[in-house]
Amino acid sequence: MRQRNKPWAEDMFADNPELVPTNPNERKGNWNDVFHNNNPIHLEVGTGKGQFIIGMAKQNPDVNFVGLELSSSVMVSALEKLLEENITNVRLLNENAQDITTIFAENEVSRVYLNFSDPWPKNRHEKRRLTFRTFLDLYRVVMKPNSEVHFKTDNQGLFEYSLHSFSAYGMILNEVSLDLHRSEMEDNVMTEYEEKFSAKGSRIYRCEAQFRA
């Protein structure tokens, strides 16, 4: 869905540097200082309008969450929610996923979330999928040993592709669910897309893929 352009978003980001840190590459290796604590850092790549990351932050006050979103017109909605909720353990970055190794140091991130990523269904666009091996390379650099990528989608083709990609990379597949909302998983935090698709009866797929040390 095409998002309406919000030219004022950049100004809003600039007005809230505590929640949207400027020059994030200068924070590389020092993200705990940004949060003023030593809690683990969880990264959501493609945070959208922020429902998931804010829900997770409420559920896990002892975890620091960073949401990465390329579209400023989308991310500004997440910032508005943050300001309304007065949550202190979330930061938002209007950055490209390809740049995470310039933003985070090695072993600085404890978990990565990929929620309802663009499936890029055409074969010629395979390298754009966030579960393609070059992205897995980036996640592994910034993540601690044995850390997990938590992945959710409504797209069966992308899910099957991602399971193969994770396995081919040598990752361990944990908690694979072919119908999340009929599973026994507790405390699932839904994204905006997840609510929309599940309300229409779409099946939600989920897995946890663990890097080997």
Side-chain angles (χ1 to χ4, degrees):
M1 181 182 298
R2 184 178 297 276
Q3 295 293 329
R4 180 169 59 87
N5 184 43
K6 299 176 181 178
W8 45 268
E10 299 290 346
D11 290 337
M12 191 170 181
F13 298 158
D15 290 340
N16 293 278
E18 178 65 21
L19 298 177
V20 186
T22 56
N23 302 317
N25 58 309
E26 296 179 2
R27 273 75 173 171
K28 181 176 180 178
N30 297 294
W31 280 96
N32 285 124
D33 292 340
V34 173
F35 287 97
H36 312 295
N37 60 52
N38 291 314
N39 293 337
I41 296 172
H42 289 188
L43 171 66
E44 184 185 17
V45 180
T47 205
K49 295 182 179 180
Q51 180 169 300
F52 175 82
I53 200 169
I54 291 174
M56 290 295 290
K58 289 180 178 179
Q59 197 176 93
N60 302 277
D62 295 329
V63 175
N64 297 325
F65 291 88
V66 178
L68 201 72
E69 174 57 51
L70 183 61
S71 171
S72 60
S73 295
V74 173
M75 196 182 86
V76 74
S77 296
L79 177 56
E80 290 172 333
K81 290 186 178 75
L82 270 185
L83 292 170
E84 291 173 4
E85 297 280 359
N86 193 30
I87 293 172
T88 60
N89 60 327
V90 174
R91 299 294 184 273
L92 301 173
L93 302 179
N94 185 206
E95 303 288 339
N96 195 309
Q98 294 176 335
D99 297 328
I100 62 171
T101 56
T102 69
I103 297 171
F104 298 97
E106 293 183 15
N107 305 326
E108 195 168 19
V109 175
S110 295
R111 182 174 296 167
V112 165
Y113 297 97
L114 304 175
N115 293 315
F116 298 86
S117 308
D118 192 325
W120 293 107
K122 296 181 180 179
N123 289 336
R124 68 175 183 272
H125 292 152
E126 179 186 12
K127 293 181 179 180
R128 299 185 183 183
R129 298 171 192 162
L130 292 180
T131 52
F132 184 66
R133 62 178 180 272
T134 55
F135 281 105
L136 299 182
D137 284 338
L138 298 177
Y139 308 148
R140 182 164 192 170
V141 168
V142 302
M143 294 177 74
K144 296 181 183 298
N146 299 311
S147 293
E148 294 178 334
V149 174
H150 288 198
F151 176 65
K152 285 198 289 188
T153 183
D154 68 308
N155 188 293
Q156 182 178 351
L158 179 62
F159 190 69
E160 292 172 352
Y161 169 87
S162 300
L163 292 181
H164 179 269
S165 183
F166 293 144
S167 297
Y169 199 85
M171 301 174 77
I172 302 168
L173 296 177
N174 300 317
E175 304 295 333
V176 177
S177 175
L178 302 181
D179 195 347
L180 175 60
H181 292 177
R182 292 182 181 273
S183 73
E184 297 179 356
M185 181 182 176
E186 298 179 354
D187 301 323
N188 176 52
V189 175
M190 289 198 286
T191 74
E192 292 90 349
Y193 279 118
E194 186 172 353
E195 285 187 345
K196 175 182 176 181
F197 294 141
S198 61
K200 293 181 177 180
S202 298
R203 183 179 294 187
I204 306 301
Y205 303 90
R206 181 183 183 274
C207 76
E208 299 172 5
Q210 182 181 12
F211 286 107
R212 298 178 188 268

